[in-house]
Amino acid sequence: MIKRRLSLALSLLWRTYVVFFLYSIAFMLVIGLPFGRLVLANRNVILYTPAVALLVFALLLAILEMGLRINLLRAIFGARLKRSPAQWRTSVLHLSALMAALAAVNALVTFSGSADAWMYYRTYPGPLLFFVGVFAIGWAQATSDVEETGTARVED
């Protein structure tokens, strides 16, 4: 059971990281190209951008799953994981909630702390919270053999 939980948690972690990395590149291109001078000229924009990016990512995951039935995590080699659509849906909605919470924490650090505190948060606790949160979601959603098959073995 621990091997299954660890496997699912790590599988969801790398898929989430790949999807978030691709999204971050697209977000930087969309913000950086048209608004490059504004971003470089104003220090506050640099501080607020990660919170906005995380919130937009959370909304993107939720809207695509709820409205269009497109699961971005399943699109990244998701067919290899034997999960039902309901399990994928639950994973994405939990990840969406996690990303919204990380955006709120990032905004809180930005508004209440100094630029040095924000930089420290973005370097160490921010990525650690991302890793631990996604890992915990995958760990909690691993099912046992009994739940997977729907029936328990009967010994004669």
Side-chain angles (χ1 to χ4, degrees), residues 56-115:
V56 170
F57 184 64
L59 290 173
L60 179 72
L61 283 177
I63 289 170
L64 285 176
E65 178 62 36
M66 301 281 288
L68 302 175
R69 302 277 188 220
I70 297 173
N71 191 319
L72 291 178
L73 293 180
R74 189 173 185 181
I76 305 291
F77 305 115
R80 290 184 165 179
L81 289 178
K82 305 298 184 214
R83 302 189 61 157
S84 69
Q87 290 171 323
W88 277 111
R89 182 180 181 101
T90 303
S91 295
V92 167
L93 294 179
H94 283 132
L95 285 171
S96 179
L98 174 68
M99 295 302 159
L102 288 175
V105 170
N106 194 342
L108 183 67
V109 170
T110 302
F111 289 130
S112 66
S114 65

Side-chain angles (χ1 to χ4, degrees), residues 50 106 109 115-130:
N106 194 342
V109 170
D116 291 337
W118 176 83
M119 191 179 307
Y120 176 78
Y121 169 77
R122 292 293 299 159
T123 305
Y124 300 111
L128 183 63
L129 288 174
F130 180 86

